[in-house]
Amino acid sequence: IPQIMDRWFTAPYTNYTDAVVDPDGDVLNEWQVFWGLARRMGYPLPLPGGDLAAVDDPDDDVVLDMAYAKARVSVETMRNNRGVIHDHLARVAQPADPDCDARFSVAPDDIVEELAQVGEEQTGAEIVDGFDADRYPYRLVSRRLKASLNSLGPELPGLAAKGKTNPAFMNPEDLADLDVSTGNLVEITSPSGCLVAVVEAASDVKRGVVSMAHSWGDGSGSDDKVRDIGSPTSRLVSTRSGYDRFSGMAVQSAIPVAVTVIDAL
């Protein structure tokens, strides 16, 4: 489907690009799947520009027009003017009034009081079953990699040359304590599981922290190909304990882990 980019820019910007290749075989665009289901179920599939299911044999352009019918910049404008900065849509904050003492009320008083109690409670690593500060002295956090989006990218030769795994970035002093160097394999263990990773020194990572990108590896449970496909950090997450009482989410950052050396190159 043609791509529209209308985010991630410092100025209001849109760019429309036609599809590069046609779908192969029986591959469908996502909208085609939902449109087909809606037609068979008699569901209207409402979009800002109308009911998609009522349209006979729509194409990409029709769907985009209907999906962005109420956008501040029409899709037709994007098609005819590719790669445009829309200065008239810019919102610029003026300097603050030094005499104004007004403040935003971000939450009701009772919520503010409840949040203030969070610092006195056990949070993060401490609420994970099996947590032991001596056994799991490191905290694993997520990060992004410059040459890939999660694990998308290394299938291209140019990006593969920049890295085919999700390294375990650690502070050089921590690596020295472990007697390990960039390129060595380490085992990272949490109360819920373990994985093998290729360690890499990173001076911007604080001591006691292991920083890894997620969505790598496969579902085999084996790390034999860790240097080629990485390893999944999801193994280290517990779905049975450690839920935040406000969001209901399991601990997925600052995961308590231990790091041991497997080999030294």
Side-chain angles (χ1 to χ4, degrees), residues 95-101:
D97 181 353
D99 298 326
C100 179
D101 59 0

Side-chain angles (χ1 to χ4, degrees), residues 170-255:
M170 297 180 66
N171 186 280
E173 294 184 41
D174 284 337
L175 297 189
D177 289 345
L178 294 167
D179 194 22
V180 66
S181 301
T182 292
N184 291 163
L185 295 180
V186 297
E187 183 177 67
I188 301 175
T189 307
S190 78
S192 302
C194 65
L195 57 80
V196 175
V198 181
V199 75
E200 186 167 329
S203 58
D204 60 340
V205 174
K206 292 184 177 181
R207 295 208 65 179
V209 173
V210 181
S211 179
M212 293 184 69
H214 60 83
S215 296
W216 288 72
D218 59 24
S220 66
S222 171
D223 292 322
D224 294 341
K225 299 179 181 179
V226 62
R227 295 187 185 278
D228 296 317
I229 64 173
S231 52
T233 58
S234 56
R235 287 194 209 146
L236 306 176
V237 177
S238 172
T239 58
R240 298 180 297 276
S241 69
Y243 290 93
D244 179 90
R245 71 185 181 93
F246 290 100
S247 67
M249 296 180 64
V251 174
Q252 299 178 58
S253 185
I255 300 169

